[in-house]
Amino acid sequence: MGNVNSNEITVKVNVSIKEMEKILINKGFKLSDKFTCEDNYFIPKDVDIKSETIREIIKKAIIIRKVRNDKVLVFKKKNINENGDILEQEKFECDILDIDKAKKFLEAIGYKNVMNISEKDICYSKDGLKLAFKDIKNGDILMEVETQDIEGFRTTKELKEKLLKLNLPIDTSNFFVKKAEVELEKVILGENNG
């Protein structure tokens, strides 16, 4: 089982992926990766999604993730302050062989599938700065940047400064967008309206 300590900032992108790619190429960034990611979020069956906060529900989630041919179970622990800033986070991963069997296993031990998030990821990099764009199906376009153990990239403050200097078309009012919370809110609102 892998355990990863890092932090990241995630912002909403205000233009299309194609427009952002043109901007980045003009700034000297190079395409470094492209892939798809499928996340299935499972929570304990006894969680009442109408009475608990979205953040509390997500804290209990186990994710079945497929990226390319890799399949993993993921559990995230995040330390989030009252402003919604992620102070630190830890991610635990465990490889799995079969997604359908993993779903059945989680259901057998008392979990239910609460939502699925499908995204196309496109990554660009330049001078050690790696920008990952997440085009979420029926959702927003987000840009994620992770801290690294390299001078100038170790803290979210340093990453924010680098991003602001690039003057990209991003929403700088929130550097800690939490896609799972945004998508779960849609699920809950959909259930309340349906």
Side-chain angles (χ1 to χ4, degrees):
M1 177 160 90
N3 162 327
V4 181
N5 282 312
S6 70
N7 207 347
E8 65 192 22
I9 58 176
T10 304
V11 294
K12 187 174 173 186
V13 175
N14 295 330
V15 296
S16 71
I17 289 284
K18 285 195 181 299
E19 287 176 73
M20 184 59 91
E21 286 183 299
K22 286 178 190 171
I23 291 166
L24 292 173
I25 289 167
N26 285 336
K27 291 181 180 284
F29 280 80
K30 302 277 186 230
L31 178 67
S32 55
D33 204 0
K34 266 188 178 185
F35 57 92
T36 58
C37 180
E38 301 280 335
D39 283 346
N40 296 279
Y41 282 75
F42 283 77
I43 59 171
K45 286 181 182 171
D46 60 356
V47 170
D48 181 0
I49 64 172
K50 292 180 176 85
S51 65
E52 290 196 39
T53 68
I54 289 172
R55 188 156 296 154
E56 287 300 316
I57 296 167
I58 294 296
K59 277 184 182 179
K60 299 171 185 174
I62 295 175
I63 306 163
I64 297 176
R65 174 170 288 165
K66 182 178 181 202
V67 177
R68 295 184 183 92
N69 292 321
D70 295 331
K71 298 175 274 296
V72 293
L73 284 179
V74 179
F75 181 74
K76 295 182 178 185
K77 290 169 76 173
K78 295 183 181 188
N79 180 2
I80 302 172
N81 70 14
E82 62 279 352
N83 296 328
D85 296 354
I86 300 170
L87 303 175
E88 62 183 348
Q89 65 181 333
E90 195 172 10
K91 179 168 63 172
F92 300 87
E93 294 183 342
C94 177
D95 292 339
I96 57 175
L97 299 174
D98 185 297
I99 286 181
D100 289 332
K101 286 182 180 176
K103 288 178 181 179
K104 287 178 184 163
F105 178 85
L106 287 176
E107 289 166 357
I109 62 168
Y111 282 75
K112 64 182 177 185
N113 188 339
V114 70
M115 71 175 168
N116 304 315
I117 300 176
S118 178
E119 65 188 47
K120 292 179 182 173
D121 288 44
I122 301 168
C123 305
Y124 278 83
S125 57
K126 177 186 173 186
D127 301 331
L129 183 60
K130 299 172 186 170
L131 308 176
F133 294 90
K134 299 170 172 308
D135 189 357
I136 300 168
K137 185 176 182 179
N138 300 319
D140 295 322
I141 298 170
L142 302 176
M143 181 178 69
E144 183 180 284
V145 187
E146 290 191 9
T147 56
Q148 304 172 55
D149 193 20
I150 301 170
E151 189 64 41
F153 297 89
R154 289 191 175 106
T155 68
T156 54
K157 183 179 181 214
E158 291 170 321
L159 294 179
K160 282 183 196 178
E161 289 170 4
K162 289 186 183 314
L163 280 185
L164 291 171
K165 284 180 187 172
L166 287 171
N167 197 27
L168 297 173
I170 57 174
D171 180 354
T172 57
S173 68
N174 183 359
F175 281 92
F176 297 97
V177 174
K178 295 154 202 74
K179 74 177 176 188
E181 290 184 11
V182 170
E183 295 302 312
L184 183 57
E185 184 174 18
K186 291 179 191 175
V187 168
I188 292 169
L189 290 173
E191 283 190 7
N192 289 342
N193 294 333

PDB file of all heavy atoms in Angstrom, residues 52-84:
ATOM      1  N   GLU A  52     -25.500  15.275   6.822  1.00  0.00           N
ATOM      2  CA  GLU A  52     -24.090  15.549   7.122  1.00  0.00           C
ATOM      3  C   GLU A  52     -23.552  16.583   6.134  1.00  0.00           C
ATOM      4  O   GLU A  52     -24.059  16.720   5.023  1.00  0.00           O
ATOM      5  CB  GLU A  52     -23.257  14.265   7.016  1.00  0.00           C
ATOM      6  CG  GLU A  52     -23.570  13.290   8.136  1.00  0.00           C
ATOM      7  CD  GLU A  52     -22.514  12.215   8.281  1.00  0.00           C
ATOM      8  OE1 GLU A  52     -21.314  12.525   8.136  1.00  0.00           O
ATOM      9  OE2 GLU A  52     -22.898  11.069   8.550  1.00  0.00           O
ATOM     10  N   THR A  53     -22.488  17.277   6.534  1.00  0.00           N
ATOM     11  CA  THR A  53     -21.881  18.248   5.619  1.00  0.00           C
ATOM     12  C   THR A  53     -21.155  17.498   4.505  1.00  0.00           C
ATOM     13  O   THR A  53     -20.724  16.351   4.690  1.00  0.00           O
ATOM     14  CB  THR A  53     -20.866  19.169   6.336  1.00  0.00           C
ATOM     15  OG1 THR A  53     -19.740  18.382   6.740  1.00  0.00           O
ATOM     16  CG2 THR A  53     -21.485  19.872   7.533  1.00  0.00           C
ATOM     17  N   ILE A  54     -21.020  18.151   3.382  1.00  0.00           N
ATOM     18  CA  ILE A  54     -20.324  17.552   2.241  1.00  0.00           C
ATOM     19  C   ILE A  54     -18.898  17.178   2.633  1.00  0.00           C
ATOM     20  O   ILE A  54     -18.423  16.088   2.313  1.00  0.00           O
ATOM     21  CB  ILE A  54     -20.369  18.511   1.031  1.00  0.00           C
ATOM     22  CG1 ILE A  54     -21.805  18.556   0.495  1.00  0.00           C
ATOM     23  CG2 ILE A  54     -19.384  18.099  -0.047  1.00  0.00           C
ATOM     24  CD1 ILE A  54     -22.062  19.596  -0.561  1.00  0.00           C
ATOM     25  N   ARG A  55     -18.235  18.043   3.359  1.00  0.00           N
ATOM     26  CA  ARG A  55     -16.845  17.780   3.769  1.00  0.00           C
ATOM     27  C   ARG A  55     -16.764  16.541   4.669  1.00  0.00           C
ATOM     28  O   ARG A  55     -15.867  15.723   4.539  1.00  0.00           O
ATOM     29  CB  ARG A  55     -16.264  19.004   4.469  1.00  0.00           C
ATOM     30  CG  ARG A  55     -14.784  18.852   4.739  1.00  0.00           C
ATOM     31  CD  ARG A  55     -14.076  20.164   4.880  1.00  0.00           C
ATOM     32  NE  ARG A  55     -14.131  20.912   3.646  1.00  0.00           N
ATOM     33  CZ  ARG A  55     -14.049  22.237   3.566  1.00  0.00           C
ATOM     34  NH1 ARG A  55     -13.887  22.951   4.644  1.00  0.00           N
ATOM     35  NH2 ARG A  55     -14.093  22.848   2.410  1.00  0.00           N
ATOM     36  N   GLU A  56     -17.729  16.386   5.588  1.00  0.00           N
ATOM     37  CA  GLU A  56     -17.751  15.213   6.474  1.00  0.00           C
ATOM     38  C   GLU A  56     -17.997  13.930   5.677  1.00  0.00           C
ATOM     39  O   GLU A  56     -17.417  12.888   5.970  1.00  0.00           O
ATOM     40  CB  GLU A  56     -18.807  15.370   7.572  1.00  0.00           C
ATOM     41  CG  GLU A  56     -18.414  16.368   8.640  1.00  0.00           C
ATOM     42  CD  GLU A  56     -17.129  16.006   9.371  1.00  0.00           C
ATOM     43  OE1 GLU A  56     -16.935  14.837   9.738  1.00  0.00           O
ATOM     44  OE2 GLU A  56     -16.287  16.913   9.554  1.00  0.00           O
ATOM     45  N   ILE A  57     -18.853  14.000   4.678  1.00  0.00           N
ATOM     46  CA  ILE A  57     -19.137  12.826   3.841  1.00  0.00           C
ATOM     47  C   ILE A  57     -17.883  12.421   3.071  1.00  0.00           C
ATOM     48  O   ILE A  57     -17.504  11.247   3.049  1.00  0.00           O
ATOM     49  CB  ILE A  57     -20.306  13.112   2.870  1.00  0.00           C
ATOM     50  CG1 ILE A  57     -21.595  13.357   3.665  1.00  0.00           C
ATOM     51  CG2 ILE A  57     -20.478  11.963   1.874  1.00  0.00           C
ATOM     52  CD1 ILE A  57     -22.722  13.947   2.836  1.00  0.00           C
ATOM     53  N   ILE A  58     -17.216  13.384   2.459  1.00  0.00           N
ATOM     54  CA  ILE A  58     -16.019  13.101   1.654  1.00  0.00           C
ATOM     55  C   ILE A  58     -14.913  12.509   2.526  1.00  0.00           C
ATOM     56  O   ILE A  58     -14.154  11.656   2.070  1.00  0.00           O
ATOM     57  CB  ILE A  58     -15.535  14.372   0.920  1.00  0.00           C
ATOM     58  CG1 ILE A  58     -16.566  14.806  -0.128  1.00  0.00           C
ATOM     59  CG2 ILE A  58     -14.166  14.162   0.277  1.00  0.00           C
ATOM     60  CD1 ILE A  58     -16.793  13.840  -1.268  1.00  0.00           C
ATOM     61  N   LYS A  59     -14.820  12.929   3.782  1.00  0.00           N
ATOM     62  CA  LYS A  59     -13.801  12.382   4.688  1.00  0.00           C
ATOM     63  C   LYS A  59     -13.924  10.877   4.844  1.00  0.00           C
ATOM     64  O   LYS A  59     -12.947  10.196   5.149  1.00  0.00           O
ATOM     65  CB  LYS A  59     -13.928  13.011   6.092  1.00  0.00           C
ATOM     66  CG  LYS A  59     -13.272  14.337   6.248  1.00  0.00           C
ATOM     67  CD  LYS A  59     -13.392  14.765   7.710  1.00  0.00           C
ATOM     68  CE  LYS A  59     -12.801  16.130   7.930  1.00  0.00           C
ATOM     69  NZ  LYS A  59     -12.936  16.559   9.332  1.00  0.00           N
ATOM     70  N   LYS A  60     -15.122  10.350   4.648  1.00  0.00           N
ATOM     71  CA  LYS A  60     -15.386   8.918   4.842  1.00  0.00           C
ATOM     72  C   LYS A  60     -15.273   8.123   3.546  1.00  0.00           C
ATOM     73  O   LYS A  60     -15.426   6.900   3.555  1.00  0.00           O
ATOM     74  CB  LYS A  60     -16.784   8.729   5.428  1.00  0.00           C
ATOM     75  CG  LYS A  60     -16.947   9.393   6.773  1.00  0.00           C
ATOM     76  CD  LYS A  60     -18.386   9.371   7.233  1.00  0.00           C
ATOM     77  CE  LYS A  60     -18.509  10.160   8.536  1.00  0.00           C
ATOM     78  NZ  LYS A  60     -19.872  10.316   8.981  1.00  0.00           N
ATOM     79  N   ALA A  61     -15.021   8.791   2.447  1.00  0.00           N
ATOM     80  CA  ALA A  61     -15.071   8.137   1.136  1.00  0.00           C
ATOM     81  C   ALA A  61     -13.838   7.273   0.850  1.00  0.00           C
ATOM     82  O   ALA A  61     -12.711   7.633   1.185  1.00  0.00           O
ATOM     83  CB  ALA A  61     -15.215   9.192   0.036  1.00  0.00           C
ATOM     84  N   ILE A  62     -14.115   6.165   0.213  1.00  0.00           N
ATOM     85  CA  ILE A  62     -13.075   5.327  -0.384  1.00  0.00           C
ATOM     86  C   ILE A  62     -13.304   5.415  -1.889  1.00  0.00           C
ATOM     87  O   ILE A  62     -14.436   5.300  -2.371  1.00  0.00           O
ATOM     88  CB  ILE A  62     -13.180   3.863   0.090  1.00  0.00           C
ATOM     89  CG1 ILE A  62     -12.899   3.780   1.596  1.00  0.00           C
ATOM     90  CG2 ILE A  62     -12.211   2.972  -0.699  1.00  0.00           C
ATOM     91  CD1 ILE A  62     -13.094   2.398   2.184  1.00  0.00           C
ATOM     92  N   ILE A  63     -12.231   5.656  -2.623  1.00  0.00           N
ATOM     93  CA  ILE A  63     -12.331   5.855  -4.074  1.00  0.00           C
ATOM     94  C   ILE A  63     -11.761   4.639  -4.787  1.00  0.00           C
ATOM     95  O   ILE A  63     -10.671   4.165  -4.453  1.00  0.00           O
ATOM     96  CB  ILE A  63     -11.549   7.114  -4.506  1.00  0.00           C
ATOM     97  CG1 ILE A  63     -11.996   8.335  -3.707  1.00  0.00           C
ATOM     98  CG2 ILE A  63     -11.685   7.348  -6.011  1.00  0.00           C
ATOM     99  CD1 ILE A  63     -11.023   9.507  -3.772  1.00  0.00           C
ATOM    100  N   ILE A  64     -12.513   4.158  -5.773  1.00  0.00           N
ATOM    101  CA  ILE A  64     -11.963   3.169  -6.710  1.00  0.00           C
ATOM    102  C   ILE A  64     -11.561   3.981  -7.932  1.00  0.00           C
ATOM    103  O   ILE A  64     -12.406   4.608  -8.576  1.00  0.00           O
ATOM    104  CB  ILE A  64     -12.992   2.088  -7.083  1.00  0.00           C
ATOM    105  CG1 ILE A  64     -13.389   1.284  -5.852  1.00  0.00           C
ATOM    106  CG2 ILE A  64     -12.415   1.174  -8.165  1.00  0.00           C
ATOM    107  CD1 ILE A  64     -14.471   0.253  -6.104  1.00  0.00           C
ATOM    108  N   ARG A  65     -10.260   4.003  -8.216  1.00  0.00           N
ATOM    109  CA  ARG A  65      -9.722   4.862  -9.278  1.00  0.00           C
ATOM    110  C   ARG A  65      -9.103   4.033 -10.393  1.00  0.00           C
ATOM    111  O   ARG A  65      -8.350   3.102 -10.136  1.00  0.00           O
ATOM    112  CB  ARG A  65      -8.679   5.807  -8.686  1.00  0.00           C
ATOM    113  CG  ARG A  65      -7.946   6.662  -9.717  1.00  0.00           C
ATOM    114  CD  ARG A  65      -7.122   7.730  -9.051  1.00  0.00           C
ATOM    115  NE  ARG A  65      -8.039   8.735  -8.503  1.00  0.00           N
ATOM    116  CZ  ARG A  65      -7.688   9.656  -7.621  1.00  0.00           C
ATOM    117  NH1 ARG A  65      -6.456   9.710  -7.165  1.00  0.00           N
ATOM    118  NH2 ARG A  65      -8.577  10.535  -7.169  1.00  0.00           N
ATOM    119  N   LYS A  66      -9.418   4.442 -11.629  1.00  0.00           N
ATOM    120  CA  LYS A  66      -8.760   3.845 -12.794  1.00  0.00           C
ATOM    121  C   LYS A  66      -8.102   4.965 -13.579  1.00  0.00           C
ATOM    122  O   LYS A  66      -8.766   5.902 -14.036  1.00  0.00           O
ATOM    123  CB  LYS A  66      -9.753   3.098 -13.684  1.00  0.00           C
ATOM    124  CG  LYS A  66      -9.056   2.453 -14.866  1.00  0.00           C
ATOM    125  CD  LYS A  66     -10.006   1.671 -15.747  1.00  0.00           C
ATOM    126  CE  LYS A  66      -9.194   1.043 -16.875  1.00  0.00           C
ATOM    127  NZ  LYS A  66      -9.986   0.723 -18.022  1.00  0.00           N
ATOM    128  N   VAL A  67      -6.774   4.882 -13.692  1.00  0.00           N
ATOM    129  CA  VAL A  67      -5.993   5.824 -14.497  1.00  0.00           C
ATOM    130  C   VAL A  67      -5.198   4.974 -15.473  1.00  0.00           C
ATOM    131  O   VAL A  67      -4.389   4.147 -15.052  1.00  0.00           O
ATOM    132  CB  VAL A  67      -5.035   6.672 -13.627  1.00  0.00           C
ATOM    133  CG1 VAL A  67      -4.188   7.592 -14.493  1.00  0.00           C
ATOM    134  CG2 VAL A  67      -5.799   7.475 -12.602  1.00  0.00           C
ATOM    135  N   ARG A  68      -5.464   5.164 -16.756  1.00  0.00           N
ATOM    136  CA  ARG A  68      -4.891   4.292 -17.783  1.00  0.00           C
ATOM    137  C   ARG A  68      -5.261   2.849 -17.432  1.00  0.00           C
ATOM    138  O   ARG A  68      -6.427   2.543 -17.305  1.00  0.00           O
ATOM    139  CB  ARG A  68      -3.384   4.485 -17.895  1.00  0.00           C
ATOM    140  CG  ARG A  68      -2.951   5.849 -18.379  1.00  0.00           C
ATOM    141  CD  ARG A  68      -1.420   5.885 -18.537  1.00  0.00           C
ATOM    142  NE  ARG A  68      -0.975   7.193 -18.928  1.00  0.00           N
ATOM    143  CZ  ARG A  68      -0.599   8.146 -18.059  1.00  0.00           C
ATOM    144  NH1 ARG A  68      -0.613   7.926 -16.777  1.00  0.00           N
ATOM    145  NH2 ARG A  68      -0.203   9.318 -18.505  1.00  0.00           N
ATOM    146  N   ASN A  69      -4.264   1.977 -17.284  1.00  0.00           N
ATOM    147  CA  ASN A  69      -4.545   0.591 -16.907  1.00  0.00           C
ATOM    148  C   ASN A  69      -4.336   0.331 -15.420  1.00  0.00           C
ATOM    149  O   ASN A  69      -4.452  -0.800 -14.964  1.00  0.00           O
ATOM    150  CB  ASN A  69      -3.678  -0.366 -17.733  1.00  0.00           C
ATOM    151  CG  ASN A  69      -4.076  -0.357 -19.188  1.00  0.00           C
ATOM    152  OD1 ASN A  69      -5.246  -0.290 -19.509  1.00  0.00           O
ATOM    153  ND2 ASN A  69      -3.092  -0.398 -20.076  1.00  0.00           N
ATOM    154  N   ASP A  70      -3.995   1.372 -14.663  1.00  0.00           N
ATOM    155  CA  ASP A  70      -3.795   1.221 -13.230  1.00  0.00           C
ATOM    156  C   ASP A  70      -5.136   1.321 -12.511  1.00  0.00           C
ATOM    157  O   ASP A  70      -5.946   2.203 -12.804  1.00  0.00           O
ATOM    158  CB  ASP A  70      -2.856   2.313 -12.697  1.00  0.00           C
ATOM    159  CG  ASP A  70      -1.455   2.201 -13.273  1.00  0.00           C
ATOM    160  OD1 ASP A  70      -1.038   1.078 -13.608  1.00  0.00           O
ATOM    161  OD2 ASP A  70      -0.784   3.241 -13.383  1.00  0.00           O
ATOM    162  N   LYS A  71      -5.334   0.408 -11.571  1.00  0.00           N
ATOM    163  CA  LYS A  71      -6.557   0.393 -10.776  1.00  0.00           C
ATOM    164  C   LYS A  71      -6.158   0.375  -9.302  1.00  0.00           C
ATOM    165  O   LYS A  71      -5.381  -0.477  -8.889  1.00  0.00           O
ATOM    166  CB  LYS A  71      -7.396  -0.843 -11.121  1.00  0.00           C
ATOM    167  CG  LYS A  71      -7.841  -0.869 -12.588  1.00  0.00           C
ATOM    168  CD  LYS A  71      -8.563  -2.148 -12.951  1.00  0.00           C
ATOM    169  CE  LYS A  71      -7.693  -3.282 -13.364  1.00  0.00           C
ATOM    170  NZ  LYS A  71      -6.901  -3.194 -14.541  1.00  0.00           N
ATOM    171  N   VAL A  72      -6.688   1.331  -8.539  1.00  0.00           N
ATOM    172  CA  VAL A  72      -6.305   1.439  -7.125  1.00  0.00           C
ATOM    173  C   VAL A  72      -7.499   1.822  -6.259  1.00  0.00           C
ATOM    174  O   VAL A  72      -8.448   2.453  -6.725  1.00  0.00           O
ATOM    175  CB  VAL A  72      -5.176   2.482  -6.903  1.00  0.00           C
ATOM    176  CG1 VAL A  72      -3.866   2.054  -7.526  1.00  0.00           C
ATOM    177  CG2 VAL A  72      -5.569   3.857  -7.412  1.00  0.00           C
ATOM    178  N   LEU A  73      -7.404   1.420  -4.997  1.00  0.00           N
ATOM    179  CA  LEU A  73      -8.276   1.963  -3.961  1.00  0.00           C
ATOM    180  C   LEU A  73      -7.546   3.160  -3.381  1.00  0.00           C
ATOM    181  O   LEU A  73      -6.328   3.096  -3.171  1.00  0.00           O
ATOM    182  CB  LEU A  73      -8.506   0.950  -2.839  1.00  0.00           C
ATOM    183  CG  LEU A  73      -9.458  -0.199  -3.096  1.00  0.00           C
ATOM    184  CD1 LEU A  73      -9.520  -1.092  -1.867  1.00  0.00           C
ATOM    185  CD2 LEU A  73     -10.845   0.289  -3.452  1.00  0.00           C
ATOM    186  N   VAL A  74      -8.266   4.240  -3.119  1.00  0.00           N
ATOM    187  CA  VAL A  74      -7.651   5.459  -2.607  1.00  0.00           C
ATOM    188  C   VAL A  74      -8.447   5.948  -1.394  1.00  0.00           C
ATOM    189  O   VAL A  74      -9.679   5.959  -1.412  1.00  0.00           O
ATOM    190  CB  VAL A  74      -7.642   6.587  -3.678  1.00  0.00           C
ATOM    191  CG1 VAL A  74      -7.015   7.853  -3.128  1.00  0.00           C
ATOM    192  CG2 VAL A  74      -6.937   6.136  -4.948  1.00  0.00           C
ATOM    193  N   PHE A  75      -7.720   6.344  -0.365  1.00  0.00           N
ATOM    194  CA  PHE A  75      -8.320   7.002   0.797  1.00  0.00           C
ATOM    195  C   PHE A  75      -7.482   8.236   1.083  1.00  0.00           C
ATOM    196  O   PHE A  75      -6.257   8.151   1.161  1.00  0.00           O
ATOM    197  CB  PHE A  75      -8.338   6.073   2.021  1.00  0.00           C
ATOM    198  CG  PHE A  75      -8.976   6.701   3.222  1.00  0.00           C
ATOM    199  CD1 PHE A  75     -10.342   6.869   3.298  1.00  0.00           C
ATOM    200  CD2 PHE A  75      -8.188   7.153   4.271  1.00  0.00           C
ATOM    201  CE1 PHE A  75     -10.938   7.471   4.407  1.00  0.00           C
ATOM    202  CE2 PHE A  75      -8.769   7.757   5.384  1.00  0.00           C
ATOM    203  CZ  PHE A  75     -10.140   7.912   5.449  1.00  0.00           C
ATOM    204  N   LYS A  76      -8.142   9.391   1.226  1.00  0.00           N
ATOM    205  CA  LYS A  76      -7.426  10.650   1.465  1.00  0.00           C
ATOM    206  C   LYS A  76      -7.776  11.212   2.832  1.00  0.00           C
ATOM    207  O   LYS A  76      -8.926  11.183   3.247  1.00  0.00           O
ATOM    208  CB  LYS A  76      -7.800  11.689   0.401  1.00  0.00           C
ATOM    209  CG  LYS A  76      -7.372  11.317  -1.002  1.00  0.00           C
ATOM    210  CD  LYS A  76      -7.732  12.407  -1.989  1.00  0.00           C
ATOM    211  CE  LYS A  76      -7.268  12.072  -3.383  1.00  0.00           C
ATOM    212  NZ  LYS A  76      -7.514  13.185  -4.322  1.00  0.00           N
ATOM    213  N   LYS A  77      -6.742  11.717   3.513  1.00  0.00           N
ATOM    214  CA  LYS A  77      -6.922  12.441   4.770  1.00  0.00           C
ATOM    215  C   LYS A  77      -6.418  13.859   4.534  1.00  0.00           C
ATOM    216  O   LYS A  77      -5.278  14.047   4.139  1.00  0.00           O
ATOM    217  CB  LYS A  77      -6.106  11.773   5.888  1.00  0.00           C
ATOM    218  CG  LYS A  77      -6.650  10.434   6.316  1.00  0.00           C
ATOM    219  CD  LYS A  77      -5.700   9.690   7.214  1.00  0.00           C
ATOM    220  CE  LYS A  77      -5.681  10.218   8.602  1.00  0.00           C
ATOM    221  NZ  LYS A  77      -4.862   9.382   9.524  1.00  0.00           N
ATOM    222  N   LYS A  78      -7.312  14.831   4.745  1.00  0.00           N
ATOM    223  CA  LYS A  78      -6.939  16.224   4.517  1.00  0.00           C
ATOM    224  C   LYS A  78      -7.144  17.027   5.787  1.00  0.00           C
ATOM    225  O   LYS A  78      -8.152  16.878   6.469  1.00  0.00           O
ATOM    226  CB  LYS A  78      -7.787  16.837   3.394  1.00  0.00           C
ATOM    227  CG  LYS A  78      -7.548  16.206   2.046  1.00  0.00           C
ATOM    228  CD  LYS A  78      -8.347  16.891   0.948  1.00  0.00           C
ATOM    229  CE  LYS A  78      -8.099  16.214  -0.380  1.00  0.00           C
ATOM    230  NZ  LYS A  78      -8.695  16.944  -1.493  1.00  0.00           N
ATOM    231  N   ASN A  79      -6.171  17.903   6.057  1.00  0.00           N
ATOM    232  CA  ASN A  79      -6.296  18.859   7.154  1.00  0.00           C
ATOM    233  C   ASN A  79      -6.682  20.185   6.503  1.00  0.00           C
ATOM    234  O   ASN A  79      -5.865  20.808   5.823  1.00  0.00           O
ATOM    235  CB  ASN A  79      -4.965  18.962   7.913  1.00  0.00           C
ATOM    236  CG  ASN A  79      -5.029  19.934   9.066  1.00  0.00           C
ATOM    237  OD1 ASN A  79      -6.064  20.532   9.348  1.00  0.00           O
ATOM    238  ND2 ASN A  79      -3.902  20.106   9.734  1.00  0.00           N
ATOM    239  N   ILE A  80      -7.937  20.594   6.704  1.00  0.00           N
ATOM    240  CA  ILE A  80      -8.482  21.786   6.052  1.00  0.00           C
ATOM    241  C   ILE A  80      -8.836  22.814   7.115  1.00  0.00           C
ATOM    242  O   ILE A  80      -9.522  22.497   8.083  1.00  0.00           O
ATOM    243  CB  ILE A  80      -9.737  21.416   5.218  1.00  0.00           C
ATOM    244  CG1 ILE A  80      -9.378  20.359   4.165  1.00  0.00           C
ATOM    245  CG2 ILE A  80     -10.348  22.655   4.579  1.00  0.00           C
ATOM    246  CD1 ILE A  80     -10.568  19.786   3.417  1.00  0.00           C
ATOM    247  N   ASN A  81      -8.371  24.060   6.936  1.00  0.00           N
ATOM    248  CA  ASN A  81      -8.693  25.097   7.914  1.00  0.00           C
ATOM    249  C   ASN A  81     -10.090  25.671   7.673  1.00  0.00           C
ATOM    250  O   ASN A  81     -10.774  25.293   6.705  1.00  0.00           O
ATOM    251  CB  ASN A  81      -7.612  26.183   7.964  1.00  0.00           C
ATOM    252  CG  ASN A  81      -7.569  27.065   6.729  1.00  0.00           C
ATOM    253  OD1 ASN A  81      -8.481  27.081   5.896  1.00  0.00           O
ATOM    254  ND2 ASN A  81      -6.500  27.826   6.591  1.00  0.00           N
ATOM    255  N   GLU A  82     -10.509  26.600   8.517  1.00  0.00           N
ATOM    256  CA  GLU A  82     -11.867  27.147   8.428  1.00  0.00           C
ATOM    257  C   GLU A  82     -12.106  27.921   7.138  1.00  0.00           C
ATOM    258  O   GLU A  82     -13.239  28.085   6.706  1.00  0.00           O
ATOM    259  CB  GLU A  82     -12.194  28.024   9.652  1.00  0.00           C
ATOM    260  CG  GLU A  82     -11.321  29.252   9.846  1.00  0.00           C
ATOM    261  CD  GLU A  82      -9.976  28.970  10.522  1.00  0.00           C
ATOM    262  OE1 GLU A  82      -9.739  27.852  11.002  1.00  0.00           O
ATOM    263  OE2 GLU A  82      -9.140  29.895  10.546  1.00  0.00           O
ATOM    264  N   ASN A  83     -11.039  28.392   6.480  1.00  0.00           N
ATOM    265  CA  ASN A  83     -11.175  29.104   5.202  1.00  0.00           C
ATOM    266  C   ASN A  83     -11.306  28.151   4.015  1.00  0.00           C
ATOM    267  O   ASN A  83     -11.525  28.587   2.892  1.00  0.00           O
ATOM    268  CB  ASN A  83      -9.967  30.013   4.949  1.00  0.00           C
ATOM    269  CG  ASN A  83      -9.857  31.106   5.975  1.00  0.00           C
ATOM    270  OD1 ASN A  83     -10.855  31.582   6.496  1.00  0.00           O
ATOM    271  ND2 ASN A  83      -8.635  31.508   6.278  1.00  0.00           N
ATOM    272  N   GLY A  84     -11.114  26.856   4.263  1.00  0.00           N
ATOM    273  CA  GLY A  84     -11.175  25.882   3.175  1.00  0.00           C
ATOM    274  C   GLY A  84      -9.816  25.600   2.557  1.00  0.00           C
ATOM    275  O   GLY A  84      -9.720  24.834   1.602  1.00  0.00           O
TER     276      GLY A  84
END
